[in-house]
Amino acid sequence: MEHSYQEHQSGSNLQSLNPTSDAQLKSDKGFPASPSWQATAISVGSSINDRFIRARWPELLTITAFASIVFAAIPYHEAWSDEAQAWQIARTTTLAEMFHSYIRYEGSPGLWHFLLWIMIHLHVTYTGLHWICGLIAITSTAILVYGAPFPRYLKLSIPFTCFLLFQYAIVARSYVLVPPLLFLIAFFWKGGPLKLSALLGVLANVSLHAGLISGALLIIFIWEHRKSIRALKFSRRRFFVSAAILGTLYSVALWTAWPPADLANHIAALHNVPAPYFSRIIAVLILPTGEPYILALPFWIAMVLMLKQRSSLRYLLPLVFLAAFAAVVPSFYWHYGLFVPLLIVVLWITWPQRTSPLPSFELIGRIALVYLIGIQIAWSIYALKWDLENPYSPDLAAAQFLRPYVNNKARILITYIRNADGLGSGASATGILPYFDRNIYLNQAMPFYSWKDGNPSEKEFDDLLPTHPDLVIVETKNAGAIPKIDLNHPKVWELARNGYHLTHRFCGTMPARLSPYLTSCHLIFEPERTRQ
């Protein structure tokens, strides 16, 4: 904001001094454009570009630094199994099959799968996907640093917070689309409804969490413009076109994400989360903001007081919606992280024009923001360092081990061990499949995991194990960095009775905050004759 007057003046000078239009006018009337006029135009344009670079060099440096970190980190990142699940669905099904039969089991609208389908048909590789996600994140950062009204000490440091720099840049999930869409919504918030309705509709198609955010922002927008809408002070045509766009995009999101009847067991499992609901809401709020946890409470108090001083408490609605939903649906660290770009947008939209002197709660709120940015940058450093020095996922290493077996047409079964805290499923084995050109598992019908009730893969495992396949892969997952492998589990004893022994272990751990968060392992069991 501090350069807005200078930029306005630069724009005015451009219109008044740039002789290109006069030269073009002469040329149109039959007079040749003078080379001196063209040289002057180039000189003026270069001068304006130089002034822009001099005025905005901190923003350019920030984007360059962000891009350098992201592109340096991507080659060291091993994709997690949920990154692979969406890729495999888009890679191995037709567009009609994907939308009609498979996406609705993923608990998500279909925008990300559709974009993956397009990339795959443009011959983008699984590795290339992560570079595209990095480019999306860089674009998001450019929107933030050039468009946000924050002072530079905030907007030039926010991009390096953990979720924007790592989780929504290097990790290839649909959530990489959320920050740029939210930042564009904030940028166009005070404009007409046409662009905003399109952006809100697209946001609703990214994920269920993003859909709730979109709905809450729509409620706020309608409330703020209720008088104009009632009186149709907006252009009638634009208003109805906006409503049609939004209604269509919301309908598509609901249609693709609506759970089918044979997903009932997974939906019922949502109600078996042991912690009380209020405790889960507190956890959702503190996990992405507090370090140590206790400091999350004063941080959120500061945010509420700052919004109250701005007379903008209604903007807490999307934050409340997100917390309420994430506390009901089993969510992970990257879901909780959506609070960060959402909070940025809430503060962006409500940012006061007056900058000094700062009211007391405004000052406290900005100090709290500096605290949040500081701890999140520390989390970014930890996550990047961890991803560089440790396997983030076991999938790539396991695929490299399995390749000679797959080339020799080995018969491979998959199964899993669920630990005491409920973690573990056969879905983790999907992470290996993008590294092969076909499904390599005997007891999995599709080259991705099916969340249908009555998934037959475990029954087929029991039926096929006596036929002595060449390999058995057992999936395990647990909290923390140390793999917890229960060798006394009935599944391990069953394998031992059939002559199989653990020969190789491939594990990977994702970090969160300042500690390891979740460890996933592929355990390779081979028959005794293979070991000799």
Side-chain angles (χ1 to χ4, degrees):
M1 293 297 293
E2 58 265 38
H3 297 290
S4 58
Y5 177 76
Q6 180 181 347
E7 289 159 9
H8 174 72
Q9 290 295 94
S10 297
S12 301
N13 292 340
L14 176 59
Q15 291 180 343
S16 61
L17 295 179
N18 191 347
T20 303
S21 56
D22 294 336
Q24 183 64 48
L25 184 61
K26 289 182 179 181
S27 180
D28 291 342
K29 291 182 177 181
F31 297 98
S34 169
S36 63
W37 279 105
Q38 294 175 351
T40 304
I42 294 172
S43 176
V44 171
S46 300
S47 176
I48 292 170
N49 288 335
D50 290 343
R51 287 202 300 272
F52 176 82
I53 292 173
R54 285 197 297 270
R56 291 301 186 96
W57 69 264
E59 284 80 6
L60 290 170
L61 185 61
T62 298
I63 296 171
T64 302
F66 182 92
S68 299
I69 294 171
V70 168
F71 287 158
I74 284 174
Y76 296 96
H77 174 72
E78 298 95 352
W80 195 261
S81 58
D82 61 342
E83 299 176 62
Q85 175 77 357
W87 177 265
Q88 284 296 105
I89 291 174
R91 176 190 178 195
T92 59
T93 64
T94 66
L95 197 60
E97 290 173 339
M98 187 169 68
F99 275 92
H100 184 268
S101 302
Y102 297 111
I103 292 177
R104 60 189 66 249
Y105 290 96
E106 298 300 302
S108 171
L111 176 60
W112 181 242
H113 296 80
F114 177 60
L115 293 177
L116 292 179
W117 186 88
I118 293 174
M119 291 182 210
I120 289 165
H121 284 76
L122 292 175
H123 305 289
V124 174
T125 64
Y126 193 44
T127 300
L129 166 65
H130 292 82
W131 293 98
I132 291 176
C133 288
L135 289 173
I136 294 172
I138 293 166
T139 302
S140 176
T141 295
I143 297 169
L144 174 64
V145 300
Y146 283 121
F150 309 140
R152 273 180 168 164
Y153 70 87
L154 290 178
K155 71 178 180 180
L156 300 189
S157 55
I158 287 172
F160 301 99
T161 54
C162 183
F163 294 101
L164 297 184
L165 181 62
F166 188 80
Q167 287 290 341
Y168 306 147
I170 295 168
V171 182
R173 296 189 180 98
S174 63
Y175 306 102
V176 72
L177 301 174
V178 173
L181 287 171
L182 281 176
F183 297 161
L184 286 172
I185 287 169
F187 187 81
F188 290 111
W189 183 260
K190 292 179 171 62
L194 193 59
K195 291 177 182 176
L196 196 63
S197 62
L199 289 167
L200 288 172
V202 173
L203 179 64
N205 281 272
V206 173
S207 73
L208 294 179
H209 297 78
L212 283 170
I213 294 171
S214 173
L217 289 172
L218 176 63
I219 291 171
I220 295 172
F221 183 82
I222 292 174
W223 175 258
E224 290 186 341
H225 295 83
R226 62 191 182 281
K227 294 182 180 178
S228 298
I229 292 172
R230 191 179 300 121
L232 283 179
K233 289 183 180 179
F234 292 122
S235 161
R236 286 176 180 264
R237 180 175 178 275
R238 183 170 296 182
F239 174 78
F240 286 115
V241 169
S242 300
I245 291 172
L246 192 60
T248 300
L249 291 172
Y250 274 8
S251 298
V252 170
L254 284 172
W255 175 70
T256 53
W258 194 265
D262 53 353
L263 199 61
N265 291 344
H266 295 284
I267 295 174
L270 302 181
H271 302 289
N272 296 326
V273 182
Y277 182 66
F278 181 74
S279 299
R280 298 200 301 273
I281 288 181
I282 297 299
V284 165
L285 290 172
I286 67 175
L287 276 172
T289 53
E291 186 71 60
Y293 291 118
I294 191 64
L295 292 181
L297 180 60
F299 170 80
W300 284 111
I301 291 174
M303 293 299 101
V304 171
L305 292 175
M306 183 165 63
L307 288 172
K308 185 176 185 299
Q309 192 157 62
R310 297 178 181 182
S311 300
S312 300
L313 279 178
R314 61 189 175 277
Y315 283 91
L316 289 173
L317 186 64
L319 295 162
V320 171
F321 271 33
L322 181 58
F325 181 73
V328 171
V329 178
S331 301
F332 292 94
Y333 181 61
W334 50 91
H335 300 123
Y336 304 147
L338 293 174
F339 277 101
V340 174
L342 178 56
L343 181 61
I344 292 169
V345 165
V346 166
L347 298 176
W348 183 333
I349 295 172
T350 63
W351 200 259
Q353 296 296 319
R354 180 183 174 188
T355 57
S356 63
L358 289 178
S360 57
F361 290 139
E362 184 72 25
L363 177 60
I364 292 171
R366 296 193 187 191
I367 293 172
L369 286 174
V370 171
Y371 148 79
L372 176 67
I373 293 169
I375 62 168
Q376 289 249 342
I377 289 175
W379 293 355
S380 294
I381 294 170
Y382 181 84
L384 291 166
K385 186 173 182 294
W386 180 275
D387 206 9
L388 175 63
E389 297 176 352
N390 303 277
Y392 186 89
S393 159
D395 299 335
L396 176 59
Q400 291 171 341
F401 169 81
L402 291 171
R403 186 164 300 282
Y405 292 88
V406 174
N407 291 341
N408 289 327
K409 304 187 184 310
R411 300 169 68 245
I412 303 173
L413 292 182
I414 58 165
T415 186
Y416 65 92
I417 295 174
R418 180 161 296 178
N419 62 25
D421 55 9
L423 294 173
S425 77
S428 299
T430 305
I432 297 174
L433 293 176
Y435 302 101
F436 297 98
D437 59 1
R438 64 186 184 279
N439 182 13
I440 65 173
Y441 305 134
L442 285 175
N443 59 322
Q444 182 169 290
M446 299 297 293
F448 49 84
Y449 189 76
S450 172
W451 294 102
K452 287 185 179 182
D453 294 342
N455 183 327
S457 60
E458 281 298 288
K459 181 182 182 304
E460 292 181 12
F461 169 81
D462 293 333
D463 293 342
L464 290 171
L465 183 60
T467 67
H468 302 292
D470 300 292
L471 293 174
V472 175
I473 304 175
V474 178
E475 300 298 317
T476 70
K477 189 178 291 183
N478 61 267
I482 301 175
K484 299 175 182 177
I485 301 171
D486 183 8
L487 294 179
N488 292 317
H489 192 277
K491 187 68 63 74
V492 176
W493 281 102
E494 181 184 3
L495 288 168
R497 284 195 301 271
N498 283 272
Y500 289 85
H501 301 269
L502 178 62
T503 59
H504 297 82
R505 181 183 71 180
F506 301 95
C507 296
T509 303
M510 66 168 61
R513 298 165 58 90
L514 294 176
S515 61
Y517 175 59
L518 196 62
T519 293
S520 178
C521 294
H522 304 301
L523 309 179
I524 309 297
F525 285 78
E526 298 181 76
E528 185 68 28
R529 65 178 184 276
T530 303
R531 300 174 68 225
Q532 293 176 349

